[in-house]
Amino acid sequence: MFDTLTDRLSGILDRLTRRGALTEADVAEAMREVRRALLEADVALEVVRSFVDRVKERAVGVDVVKSVTPGQMVVKIVHDELVAMLGSDAQGISLAAAAPVPILMVGLQGSGKTTSTAKIARRLTQRDKRKVLMASLDTRRPAAMEQLATLGKQTEVATLPIVAGQTAVQIARRAMEAGRLGGYDVVLLDTAGRTTLDEALMAEVVEVKKIANPHEVLLVVDALTGQDAVTTARAFDQAVGVTGIVLTRIDGDGRGGAALSMRAVTGKPIKLVGVGERFDAVDEFDPQRIANRILGMGDVVALVEKAAANIDAEKAAKTAERMRKGQFDLNDLKDQLQQMQRMGGMSGVMSLMPGVANLKKQMAGANLDEGMFKRQAAIIDSMTKAERSNPDLLKASRKKRVAAGSGTKVEEINKLLKMHRQMADMMKMMGKAGKSGRGPLAGLGAALGFGGGAPQIPPEALEDLKKGKMPEGLPPGFPGGGFPGGPGGLPPGFPGIGGPKLPGLGGFPGLGKKK
């Protein structure tokens, strides 16, 4: 998401920050490049004009001219205006209404509306602890109702029983009645879509809205359609009054123009974004954090949320305690590899860390093989219980057996064992110096290969995080905090940091050209 724009803007702003005093000509030249970058990212022309004019007006002001670091002041101005363009504040789905709260899902066919309905239902059920009922009002698309019923089983969310021959309005009325009688908190109404906007589609949605009286009307649009998504949003808003937008397939759009234009053009907030195929691959759209990512500043809050969602805190705390005692075996290594994989792999974690924007190019050029996680786990699974607990047992004959069982080579097993020894030594040293983490993020550092757990974050740092800023003075064990040795504050022991092949990356398993 926004990869192309991030690369362009980072290069433009880096050149500004390397200069001393800035002239009006310097700012004008930079703004021309920013304008070109935004247009290439498929941002609407009217939005680009307004954005560039506001930045230019502030960037040639007294505050920048007299600033000690004028280049960084311009970066801050660009960041602030990006946040304003995206909507300033994050706005989640509102449930502030009498139960059952009706939520109407609208959009064109193929935008991912039915899948998004299931994702939102799962999110409300698991995260917000709400009792949710889903109902398909799509009587035209073949098997549309059956699709939602199947998704309901997969997400463990109730769906309205299918009754053949009913119209969309009749189904909506029955869904709301079932919601009241069944004690549901939320009723999600998945309406029919068309391949194009037409009068019949709008008329049906308007009738359904009259019956359901929805508290939220969420428009689902495909980010890959670019500025056509903005056109769709305008049409639906005029017909039914959209309250929020759900952007799907944002992970497949390297430009991000639709997301950047949507709020500015329609005035409607983007509430959620789909970032993958899995049912949990839906995130709130936070303008502060999105602006940070676009400018290569990372997203520490998202990293923390990923860790909290994918790491068993109790298990991680026990593992961290074992590491502090120097007890780090291959079972622990496998757990760490799997946790890293669940958090999006090495590239996924690194992309959220501040100060590593330039490192991403090195990673891309190094052909980082994320599939190595699975191969490393397969090697460990092919070992006996005794071998996993005591790697010293693995001599030549045992290595050959493990290689045959895992479909790998002895050389790969030797690399895994070497990495384990290095990490075990690092854990032991850090365990002697580190302190135990006892907060909600306890064990985060251990799960990422830090070994010392994740100590409590200072209150002032939490406040910075809430404001979308990168906090200073993060404790050792937290990503980017407390370690002077690695790039972006990462510790030398972080998986892949400090190896010989590529500065900051050579030690990571699987780095180098794929064989």
Side-chain angles (χ1 to χ4, degrees):
M1 180 172 62
F2 306 114
D3 286 346
T4 305
L5 185 58
T6 296
D7 290 343
R8 290 290 305 277
L9 291 183
S10 295
I12 296 166
L13 297 175
D14 280 347
R15 289 195 292 274
L16 281 181
T17 54
R18 283 197 295 267
R19 295 180 183 179
L22 291 180
T23 65
E24 188 171 339
D26 293 333
V27 174
E29 181 185 353
M31 289 305 104
R32 279 196 296 272
E33 294 185 50
V34 169
R35 175 191 175 94
R36 192 177 301 117
L38 290 171
L39 289 174
E40 289 176 1
D42 198 28
V43 181
L45 178 59
E46 58 191 287
V47 178
V48 174
R49 284 175 176 166
S50 175
F51 175 82
V52 171
D53 287 346
R54 290 197 309 271
V55 172
K56 188 184 296 184
E57 182 180 349
R58 293 181 59 188
V60 296
V62 177
D63 290 342
V64 171
V65 173
K66 293 187 176 181
S67 171
V68 178
T69 55
Q72 292 184 6
M73 280 296 293
V74 174
V75 173
K76 182 182 184 303
I77 291 170
V78 171
H79 177 272
D80 292 345
E81 292 299 334
L82 268 177
V83 172
M85 181 170 67
L86 292 167
S88 296
D89 298 320
Q91 296 186 33
I93 295 176
S94 172
L95 300 178
V101 180
I103 297 177
L104 193 63
M105 306 292 293
V106 300
L108 296 181
Q109 187 175 312
S111 61
K113 182 160 44 61
T114 300
T115 305
S116 295
T117 300
K119 287 182 177 181
I120 292 171
R122 181 184 182 277
R123 180 185 179 89
L124 292 173
T125 301
Q126 296 196 353
R127 197 192 71 161
D128 299 331
K129 308 302 179 187
R130 302 301 176 103
K131 186 178 180 182
V132 181
L133 175 67
M134 296 190 295
S136 174
L137 279 59
D138 191 346
T139 60
R140 304 171 188 273
R141 182 167 62 90
M145 294 183 177
E146 288 78 3
Q147 179 190 1
L148 189 65
T150 300
L151 292 173
K153 292 177 182 177
Q154 293 173 346
T155 56
E156 299 180 347
V157 176
T159 55
L160 187 72
I162 299 172
V163 177
Q166 285 193 327
T167 65
V169 172
Q170 290 172 328
I171 297 171
R173 186 179 287 112
R174 182 162 60 90
M176 293 309 300
E177 186 64 24
R180 283 188 286 271
L181 295 175
Y184 287 93
D185 299 310
V186 181
V187 176
L188 283 167
L189 302 171
D190 179 25
T191 62
R194 303 286 191 282
T195 54
T196 57
L197 293 165
D198 59 33
E199 292 183 7
L201 167 64
M202 290 304 181
E204 182 177 280
V205 172
V206 169
E207 286 300 310
V208 169
K209 184 183 178 184
K210 290 179 181 178
I211 294 297
N213 191 24
H215 182 62
E216 287 268 28
V217 179
L218 299 181
L219 172 65
V220 181
V221 290
D222 187 342
L224 295 182
T225 59
Q227 291 310 303
D228 282 344
V230 180
T231 305
T232 301
R234 279 174 164 163
F236 271 98
D237 185 40
Q238 291 172 1
V240 293
V242 172
T243 61
I245 295 165
V246 179
L247 270 181
T248 61
R249 295 206 287 183
I250 195 76
D251 55 317
D253 183 15
R255 298 180 302 170
L260 292 172
S261 304
M262 193 70 71
R263 175 59 187 259
V265 173
T266 66
K268 304 300 177 182
I270 301 172
K271 298 205 170 187
L272 295 170
V273 289
V275 292
E277 296 297 325
R278 291 169 44 177
F279 289 121
D280 60 351
V282 58
D283 294 336
E284 283 188 358
F285 187 88
D286 189 315
Q288 286 273 1
R289 290 158 55 180
I290 294 296
N292 286 348
R293 289 197 204 185
I294 292 174
L295 296 181
M297 298 176 182
D299 189 348
V300 177
V301 178
L303 180 61
V304 172
E305 288 177 348
K306 276 193 174 186
N310 292 288
I311 295 173
D312 185 331
E314 184 177 347
K315 183 178 179 181
K318 291 179 180 178
T319 302
E321 185 62 34
R322 283 169 37 76
M323 290 175 181
R324 276 187 286 274
K325 296 177 181 178
Q327 300 170 350
F328 181 72
D329 59 23
L330 289 170
N331 289 312
D332 299 318
L333 177 59
K334 180 187 172 185
D335 286 342
Q336 290 196 10
L337 292 172
Q338 289 177 333
Q339 286 173 344
M340 179 73 81
Q341 192 174 6
R342 287 196 295 270
M343 291 177 66
M346 183 67 172
S347 57
V349 173
M350 294 288 281
S351 67
L352 299 176
M353 288 187 173
V356 294
N358 295 329
L359 204 59
K360 286 195 290 185
K361 292 183 180 180
Q362 287 181 296
M363 292 174 68
N367 294 322
L368 185 64
D369 184 7
E370 296 282 10
M372 180 58 70
F373 285 117
K374 294 181 180 179
R375 291 197 292 277
Q376 299 278 20
I379 291 173
I380 297 173
D381 285 337
S382 298
M383 299 176 186
T384 65
K385 185 177 180 180
E387 289 167 347
R388 289 196 294 269
S389 300
N390 184 12
D392 291 336
L393 294 175
L394 287 162
K395 306 302 180 185
S397 59
R398 290 179 182 247
K399 290 179 183 177
K400 289 180 181 178
R401 189 202 77 242
V402 172
S406 59
T408 56
K409 298 179 181 179
V410 173
E411 290 84 353
E412 292 182 72
I413 297 171
N414 289 333
K415 288 181 181 178
L416 174 68
L417 294 176
K418 181 179 179 181
M419 181 180 72
H420 169 260
R421 283 194 300 272
Q422 291 174 340
M423 291 182 70
D425 291 341
M426 180 199 68
M427 301 298 180
K428 196 169 183 179
M429 287 189 296
M430 291 178 64
K432 291 178 181 179
K435 295 181 180 179
S436 174
R438 290 290 177 257
L441 298 175
L444 171 63
L448 294 178
F450 293 0
Q456 289 274 16
I457 303 176
E460 58 273 16
L462 279 174
E463 287 303 313
D464 284 340
L465 284 173
K466 291 176 183 177
K467 295 176 183 176
K469 299 178 182 178
M470 178 57 197
E472 298 180 1
L474 285 173
F478 189 83
F483 294 98
L490 293 172
F494 187 87
I497 299 301
K501 296 181 183 177
L502 184 69
L505 284 173
F508 185 74
L511 183 67
K513 295 181 180 179
K514 297 180 182 178
K515 295 181 180 180

